[in-house]
Amino acid sequence: MVNVVYYEKSDILLSQLLNEVPSEGQGIKIKGRKGVVLRVERINEKKFHVHVELMKEDKNKKEVIKKK
């Protein structure tokens, strides 16, 4: 088991205890947002920093339902 800390830019998103470390380029979902792993840094034998880029949600993009 290893401690994996997820970062977006310099902000900590999530810290988890996992059996496997995610690989670079792997798709990931954190707090309901989709993203991609940019790089993985090994700090020591049981701690990893994973840098991710999350996709931006367009809050203005709503489905318009027309009433008849």
Side-chain angles (χ1 to χ4, degrees), residues 6-44:
Y6 294 94
Y7 289 91
E8 181 181 27
K9 298 181 184 174
S10 62
D11 299 328
I12 296 175
L13 294 175
L14 179 67
S15 180
Q16 284 186 320
L17 192 61
L18 298 173
N19 289 325
E20 295 181 9
V21 179
S23 59
E24 293 182 14
Q26 179 180 349
I28 197 162
K29 191 172 184 180
I30 297 176
K31 296 182 180 179
R33 297 172 61 194
K34 294 180 183 178
V36 177
V37 175
L38 297 177
R39 72 174 191 257
V40 178
E41 296 177 0
R42 184 179 185 141
I43 303 305
N44 59 33

